[in-house]
């Protein structure tokens, strides 16, 4: 990861990394869910993954630029990550289980960062 | 980074990582450029950083989901990263020099990925 | 729509409008597809809608800022819009038919703009 | 604008339109600010415009898909739009004055939508 020139961004690095991992996991998990035979049962999970991926991506961008609104966006991101994790945990496949873990970790980092 | 369930995404991991590092570097560099005393001289660089950060972010998302258009987007991303690197290299400060390096690396990965 | 201060952006206004309408239509259509009883048959369409919505959104942003890369992004956007229209046209419901129309109009405007 | 198939999205249409107009105005205004001779005095305004444009874009996307988190994102969007308007109002040029108006209108619609 880039060497930070700004101490504000530097202290958010763990949260930036968690958001980017969660973004990638959500995008992958959504694509994998669309290939599952029981996609009909996963539509709520798919909707959550769509929101979660975009919130994580924007949160990472806002933190990277040191935005004064990064904390407020990360608070919402934490809420969405928790919901997304709960939806993913309903399914037994590897991508949903892994995605749920990344969502929980991201929610935890977003809560710490915005505390 | 997440364990890949899909081999297409797996082979793009180096490019995803390069795009996300470049995205962060561009967002940081833009914020740092705005704080420099010679910001007037940096307006072209700032415009490039704005485009580069967003192209890198979207390229990473499209690769993460295994999009069939990821290669075409990464081709454009490579072009923009090279231009952004050239603009950043005109300045002597640490953030521009570092950002230029991340842009060059990202351009290289995007070219390899879309070859 | 905002009164344009910049003549470059002004001449792109029809394309910006088409991209924003298409973005909205794709987001709505994707949500509607997820509620259909034959969602299993729509997974390719859903993947196209996901890409198309984001390309349209970014194209509109890049045109609005007068980016020198707007034309190249709009060329790719035209390609994706055409594919998305073709996928939506396979379905008989109102949201897919309407979305296909917005995609065709957007593709046409993107081709004109980037010619 | 697309004929809405979903009544939730339909009732948000005024807010979607306001967000998209504000997004465009902010992107244009940022590019115009970068061309002003007193760009040095505008760096806080430029940072606000950067955040405001992206929040408006994502809010419009989340509303278009009928997201259950659209209201919470629009609450934050209202806050950012108000701050951006206040920063733009410090400048006398046409693009800042117009942008401030679009920001105020967007903030008002976001408050109504999320009430």
């Amino acid at each position: 990861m880039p060497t930070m020139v700004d101490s504000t961004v530097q202290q958010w690095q763990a949260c930036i990394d968690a958001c980017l991992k969660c973004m990638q996991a959500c995008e992958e998990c959504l694509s994998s869910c669309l290939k599952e035979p029981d996609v009909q049962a996963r539509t709520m999970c798919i909707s959550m993954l769509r929101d979660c991926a975009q919130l994580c991506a924007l949160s990472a961008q806002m933190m990277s630029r040191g935005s004064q609104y990064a904390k407020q966006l990360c608070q919402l991101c934490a809420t969405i990550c928790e919901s997304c994790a709960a939806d993913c945990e309903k399914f037994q496949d590897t991508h949903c289980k892994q995605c749920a873990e990344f969502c929980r970790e991201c929610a935890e980092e977003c809560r710490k960062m915005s505390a």
Side-chain angles (χ1 to χ4, degrees), chain A:
Chain A
M1 281 292 135
T3 308
M4 298 302 132
V5 286
D6 185 291
S7 61
T8 309
V9 178
Q10 205 162 12
Q11 67 184 3
W12 291 345
Q13 190 61 51
C15 193
I16 293 171
D17 292 344
C19 282
L20 294 177
K21 282 178 191 171
C22 189
M23 176 281 283
Q24 183 175 344
C26 288
E27 291 284 359
E28 282 188 60
C29 188
L30 202 167
S31 293
S32 297
C33 281
L34 287 173
K35 290 173 194 158
E36 295 286 350
D38 64 339
V39 60
Q40 193 82 49
R42 293 168 186 264
T43 56
M44 280 226 336
C45 188
I46 288 169
S47 295
M48 276 307 314
L49 288 163
R50 196 154 59 124
D51 283 354
C52 195
Q54 280 199 301
L55 257 289
C56 286
L58 187 56
S59 296
Q61 287 171 72
M62 299 269 281
M63 282 186 278
S64 298
R65 73 180 64 150
S67 166
Q68 61 184 122
Y69 298 101
K71 286 194 179 192
Q72 284 169 267
L73 192 65
C74 283
Q75 278 177 349
L76 179 53
C77 195
T79 303
I80 292 176
C81 285
E82 288 291 358
S83 290
C84 193
D87 273 352
C88 284
E89 278 161 5
K90 292 175 189 159
F91 301 95
Q92 299 307 316
D93 46 78
T94 314
H95 56 85
C96 278
K97 281 188 175 177
Q98 285 183 337
C99 188
E101 277 176 46
F102 284 111
C103 288
R104 294 281 184 213
E105 286 167 24
C106 188
E108 178 63 21
E109 289 296 336
C110 283
R111 275 192 301 268
K112 270 198 269 179
M113 176 275 188
S114 60

